[in-house]
Amino acid sequence: MAETVVQIDGGRKLRATLKAAGDDLTDLKAAHREAAEIAARASAALAPVGPTGRLQRTIRASGTKTAGVIRAGTARVPYAPVIHWGWPKRHIKAQPFLSDGARDSEGRWLPVYINHLDTIVKRIEGT
């Protein structure tokens, strides 16, 4: 699958601090998921739509303690990575809709993510 990575300086320390404070890190999961959902919607808008439209409907987002994740494809739509990355030997041109969607929507999801992080930090600091 396509992967676009945004690394936050101090993210590892924030997770360690939250864990030491007894936090189960669900706030970070929520922040990652919400940012990924915004990027997933943008990616779905860029996904190629064939006769069935199945590829576009498989785009989904999730959040973990360490990352927001956007996925495309299922067992019934196994061709999602081929469409995204291409397959030169088969003359299939890459259409990086997931990467492009995440990049193009960064101005919408990054402020949401930063707001979540600010809220978490203020809670830790007790302000």
Side-chain angles (χ1 to χ4, degrees):
M1 297 292 151
E3 185 174 311
T4 298
V5 177
V6 175
Q7 186 167 342
I8 304 298
D9 288 337
R12 184 174 295 162
K13 185 176 181 181
L14 174 62
R15 288 190 304 274
T17 302
L18 285 170
K19 195 170 183 179
D23 195 303
D24 64 0
L25 305 179
T26 55
D27 289 345
L28 283 177
K29 287 182 185 179
H32 290 138
R33 184 183 60 250
E34 189 172 345
E37 285 171 351
I38 293 167
R41 284 191 297 274
S43 297
L46 297 176
V49 180
T52 64
R54 291 190 313 180
L55 173 62
Q56 190 177 42
R57 290 191 305 271
T58 68
I59 297 171
R60 60 211 180 274
S62 63
T64 69
K65 295 175 185 178
T66 60
V69 180
I70 306 168
R71 292 182 176 89
T74 61
R76 291 185 156 208
V77 185
Y79 49 85
V82 172
I83 300 299
H84 186 274
W85 296 110
W87 193 355
K89 284 186 176 182
R90 303 283 185 188
H91 306 289
I92 298 172
K93 184 180 173 193
Q95 299 179 56
F97 56 95
L98 296 174
S99 301
D100 291 348
R103 186 191 62 243
D104 294 350
S105 64
E106 183 176 349
R108 294 190 305 272
W109 61 257
L110 191 56
V112 169
Y113 184 70
I114 290 171
N115 186 43
H116 272 283
L117 292 181
D118 285 342
T119 301
I120 292 167
V121 168
K122 285 177 184 173
R123 191 185 75 232
I124 292 168
E125 292 175 340
T127 58

